[in-house]
Amino acid sequence: MKDFLRSIFYKLIYIVPVLFLYSFLYSPSVFAANRTVDLVVAYKTVDFAGKSMQAIAVNNQIPGPTLRFNEGDHITINVYNQLDKGTTIHWHGLLLPWKMDGVEYVTQEPIAPGEVFRYEFTLNQSGTYWYHAHAGLQEQQGLYGAFVIDPPSSRFAYTKDYTIVLSDWINNAPERVLANLKKEGDYYSTKFPLQASLQRFLSDYEAAATQQAKDQLKSTYKMMQDMRMSIYDISDVAYDTFLLNGQPPTKPWKAPVKVGDTVRLRFIGAGASTFFRVKIPNTKMQMVHVQGNDIVPYEVDDFTIAPGETYDVLVKIQKNTPYIIYAESADTLGAALGALVTDMSQPVDFKSVPPFPEPQPQMSHAGMDMPGMKMPMASSNTPRNANAQAMSGMDMPGMKMPMNSSTPSNASTQTMPGMDMSSMQMPSKYAKLRAVEKTNDPNKPVEIIEMRLNGYMGRYIWFLNGLPEYKAKPILIQAGKRYRFIFINETMMHHPMHLHGHWMYLRNGNGAYDPRVHTIDVAPNETVTADFDATEGEGHWYFHCHNLYHMMAGMARPFYYEGNYSTALPTSTPISQNFPGARAGGPQTDRRFVLDRSAIPADEPSALPAHSTTAHPMGHYFMAALDLGGVVNTPNSFRTTFESLIGSDYNKLQLFMNDAEFNNGKVENADLDIFYWRMINEFWAVKGGVNYVYRPTDTPYWQPGIGIEGVAPYFIDTDVRAYWHSGAGKLDIELGRDTQLMRLFFLRTSVRGMVATKTVEHDQIGSGLNFMEYKVRPFWQVLPNLAFFVEWNYTDYYGAARNILLSNDEATSENAWSIGFSVLF
Ligand SMILES: [Cu+2]
C-alpha cells in the first residue's frame, strides 16, 4: 500500500509538470512570453574572398544570430554598439511602433559608439523576416541576420527548418564602392561577364536563328545607343564573392538531412544589391510562404530573390545524395553555394551544377507602346490636375499625391470597386502569388501615390519622381486611409521597393486574396500597383529601394503621418556597468538588462520640423582623371589631360586641363579651366568660370569661359567651351566616342576644332578656324580605374592661325603617336 501510494506520488510529480508544460505550450494565452535578447554590434576581421577585411558582425557572427520567437511574444532587444560610429538595426517586414523601426535619423538617432538602444515590441505576426543595419552602408559589411516568428501552428508540415541567408561581399570598404560609383555610374561595368560589346553583338547576331531575330537585335542595340543606355545593366557593383549563411563558395554551407525529410528552407535576400537566381538541381521546390505570409503553394524549378525579399520553400529529401542549393547572382558574376546532405561526409560536386541560361539583352520600352500594359489611372479620370493644387506647397514634381482629403468627390479619392485588375500586365515574378487567406477588402477607396523610379544613372543619383531623397520633402499620409502605389520603373534596372511597418497588397488579380508583401521587385519598364492601409496612425516610416547603393544615392523617402509625427527622435543610452559586450563577444541572449526608460523621450507635440528628417543627406564627392601619354615619334615629349570634379551631385568645382603638351622640359601647350560645374539633367552639365592660358602665348593670361558638356545620343561625349580674350571670342568643340569592341578593349575616336572671331597674334589666336584635331585611341581597361592606350593624334592648322605659326617658323600640322595610361582617382 505504501509502495502504491509512493508510486502514485512519484507519477504525480512527473505528470503534473508535464501537464503544466503541455498547457503552457498549447494554450495561446501562455504561448507568448516576454523575451530579451542582447545583440552586440562590433567589427570582425574576415577573409571571404582572399583578402583580410574589416566586417561588422552581430555577436561575432555573420550573419548575426537567427532570432527566433513565437507569435505574440513581447520582445526586448538590446543593441550594444561597439563600433566607432553610430549604428541602428531595422526589423525588416515587422509591424511595430515607429520608434522601434531602427532607421537612423528617421525613427531614431543612431546608437552612439559604446551605447545601447532598447528595441521593445510585441510580435503580432509570424513568418520569415530578417534584420539589418539601417545606418550608412553597414549592411554591406555583414550586419544582417534572420528573424523567424513561429505561429501557434503551421499550415505546412515539415521535419527540418533552415534559414538560408544570401548576401554579397566585396573586398573594399562600401564607402569606397559608393564613391567609385559617384565617379562613374558604370565604374564596375568592365568586370561583369555580360557586356554590350561589338564582339558580343556580332556573335549574338550570328547566333540569331531568324532574320527577324537578327533585325530585332539590331534595332535593340541601335535604340539603346540612341537612348544612351546599356543593354546589360543588371548590377552596379562587381562583387568579389557571394555568401550563403556567411559561407563563401570556397567553403560552402552544409546541413544534415535524411531521406524522408521535408525541409523548409527560408531564403532571405540579404545582399546589399544582388539579385539571386536560386535552384536545387533535380528537385522541385514547393513555394509555400513569401515575405512573411503563407501563400497558396506552387511548384517551382527556380526563383529569383531580390534584396529585401524572403521566400520559403519545401524540399522533399528522397535520395541519399546531396541537394545542392545554387544561388547565382543575376549578373552571372558568381554564385553562393550550399548543400543539404544525408551524411555530413558525403562528397558534394558543386561544379556539376550548370549555370543559369544567360540573361537576354534587355531594351527600354520607354516611349514605346506597350501592348497589354494598362495603367489603371491613365485612361479615365486623372487625379493629376486635381492634386496639382494641393501639391503646390510640396516640392515634388511628378508626385501626384492628394494632400487634401476633405473632398471625397475629388477625382483623386476615387473608389474603384470591381476594377478589373486582371487586365493589367503583372510582373511574371509575382503572377502566381495568392494569399492563403483574405488579406484585404479590395473595394476600399484609394488615393494614388505615383512612384516613378528614375535617376541619373551615369552620375549615380537615384530618384523617386525625379528627386533624390535629400532634395525632397517627406510624403504626408493620413491615418485610416488606403493609398495606392503605382510604381513606374523608367530605368533599365530592377528596384525592390520596400515600405517599412505596413503591408502592401500587391495587386496581381486576386482581389481580396492579393498577397501581402513588404518589398516589391519592380522590373525594368514595368508598372506595378500595390495598396497599403495607413493603419499605424503616427510617426515616420521609411520607404526606399532595397538596393543599398540606390537608397544611399537618393531612391528613398520618409512617409509622415500628417499631424502626428515627431520632432524628437529616441536616442541611445550610455552603458553604465556590466556591459555584457565587454566580455568575450559571444551571443548574449536572454540576459536582462535594465535601461533607464526616461532615455526614450515622450512624444513631442506635433509641429512641422525645421528641416525634413532625411536618412541620407547630400554627400560630397571627389573625382580626378589623369591621362598621360609619351609621344613616340618626338623624343622627350609627352601629353597629358587632367580633370577633377569636387562637390555635391549637382554643383561641383571643375579643374580641367585638356591635352597639355610638353617637349624637352618646355611647355608648348597648356591651359586650365577653373569652372563652376552644374548638372542640368541626366546627360548635360553647364559650366563657367575662368581659364588660365600658359601656352601657346608669349605672356600667360586669364580669360573668362563658359561651356556645356555631356553625352549626346549614341554616347557621343561632347564638350563645348567658349572664351573671351583681348576682344576675341573663341569656341572650342570636342566630340568623342568610346566604342566597346571586346570586354576590356575599347576604341576611342574624337575630333576637336577651335574657331575665333579675331586674330590676336601674340597669343597665337587666328581669326576663323584655328585647328582641327583628330584622335584614334585603342585602349585596354585593365582595371575599372586603369587603362593603357595607344593613340594617334593628328592636328592641322588653318587660316590666320596657320600664318602665325608659319611666321614663327613652327610646324602647321602635327602627327603624334603616343602610348600611355589613364587613371581614375
Ligand atoms: Cu533601386
Side-chain angles (χ1 to χ4, degrees), residues 259-553:
V259 171
D261 267 341
T262 298
V263 186
R264 179 174 187 165
L265 297 175
R266 301 170 185 265
F267 285 91
I268 294 168
S273 69
T274 299
F275 291 68
F276 289 96
R277 296 195 285 173
V278 179
K279 64 180 173 181
I280 301 177
N282 311 315
T283 312
K284 295 267 185 204
M285 295 176 275
Q286 194 178 34
M287 191 66 76
V288 293
H289 179 99
V290 173
Q291 299 197 23
N293 293 285
D294 290 344
I295 54 151
V296 177
Y298 59 90
E299 271 193 350
V300 292
D301 293 316
D302 57 76
F303 62 92
T304 300
I305 182 168
E309 290 189 310
T310 73
Y311 289 91
D312 291 26
V313 300
L314 299 183
V315 176
K316 285 204 162 66
I317 305 300
Q318 290 164 319
K319 287 185 240 163
N320 259 318
T321 54
Y323 286 71
I324 296 174
I325 301 166
Y326 178 85
E328 185 182 312
S329 69
D331 54 29
T332 74
L333 204 52
L337 300 174
L340 304 173
V341 288
T342 51
D343 171 356
M344 285 304 268
S345 62
Q346 212 164 39
V348 186
D349 184 11
F350 288 99
K351 293 217 162 62
S352 67
V353 182
F356 279 98
E358 266 185 14
Q360 289 302 300
Q362 52 186 1
M363 108 179 200
S364 172
H365 295 267
M368 288 176 65
D369 193 32
M370 282 179 276
M373 172 69 75
K374 282 190 194 126
M375 282 259 310
M377 291 302 101
S379 52
S380 53
N381 33 21
T382 59
R384 288 147 208 232
N385 294 337
N387 300 334
Q389 214 69 26
M391 291 298 299
S392 57
M394 312 252 317
D395 183 22
M396 287 190 284
M399 166 67 64
K400 321 297 186 201
M401 212 190 64
M403 286 293 124
N404 186 347
S405 63
S406 57
T407 51
S409 60
N410 187 315
S412 60
T413 51
Q414 305 146 68
T415 313
M416 296 193 292
M419 225 202 91
D420 183 14
M421 289 296 173
S422 60
S423 68
M424 291 170 55
Q425 181 187 315
M426 279 322 289
S428 54
K429 175 169 181 174
Y430 298 121
K432 285 183 180 166
L433 271 194
R434 183 181 166 89
V436 79
E437 55 189 21
K438 275 199 177 121
T439 53
N440 76 108
D441 167 11
N443 296 321
K444 207 177 166 201
V446 298
E447 289 188 13
I448 306 295
I449 302 177
E450 190 176 276
M451 277 289 169
R452 291 188 175 268
L453 314 179
N454 40 33
Y456 294 171
M457 292 137 242
R459 299 276 171 205
Y460 216 74
I461 315 170
W462 291 94
F463 301 150
L464 294 173
N465 295 321
L467 288 178
E469 180 192 2
Y470 65 80
K471 280 191 151 198
K473 291 202 169 128
I475 293 170
L476 296 179
I477 54 174
Q478 291 176 332
K481 286 203 168 172
R482 171 170 294 178
Y483 292 91
R484 167 157 298 173
F485 282 124
I486 298 177
F487 297 111
I488 302 162
N489 187 348
E490 297 175 344
T491 76
M492 295 306 295
M493 295 189 78
H494 283 253
H495 302 287
M497 303 307 299
H498 171 48
L499 177 63
H500 286 215
H502 299 72
W503 288 121
M504 294 184 280
Y505 309 112
L506 177 66
R507 294 303 181 196
N508 68 348
N510 290 304
Y513 291 86
D514 280 339
R516 296 196 304 196
V517 291
H518 45 64
T519 307
I520 298 176
D521 171 10
V522 188
N525 306 306
E526 199 172 60
T527 297
V528 178
T529 302
D531 296 349
F532 75 93
D533 290 325
T535 48
E536 293 306 310
E538 60 169 17
H540 313 161
W541 298 95
Y542 208 45
F543 169 77
H544 62 98
C545 176
H546 222 282
N547 177 323
L548 181 62
Y549 297 95
H550 290 184
M551 175 184 78
M552 295 300 288

Side-chain angles (χ1 to χ4, degrees), residues 678-701:
R678 181 174 171 81
M679 194 170 56
I680 50 172
N681 66 29
E682 177 164 9
F683 300 112
W684 297 98
V686 290
K687 52 190 183 176
V690 291
N691 173 272
Y692 178 68
V693 180
Y694 185 70
R695 290 288 184 274
T697 172
D698 299 335
T699 44
Y701 58 92

Side-chain angles (χ1 to χ4, degrees), residues 754-801:
M754 208 264 270
V755 293
T757 57
K758 200 181 116 184
T759 297
V760 186
E761 191 154 348
H762 65 94
D763 293 324
Q764 297 203 12
I765 300 165
S767 176
L769 179 61
N770 279 240
F771 66 83
M772 290 297 292
E773 183 181 13
Y774 310 89
K775 286 184 203 171
V776 178
R777 170 194 287 206
F779 64 97
W780 290 263
Q781 194 71 47
V782 293
L783 292 172
N785 58 352
L786 176 66
F788 292 102
F789 65 79
V790 175
E791 184 179 283
W792 172 71
N793 182 312
Y794 178 72
T795 311
D796 206 2
Y797 289 84
Y798 297 89

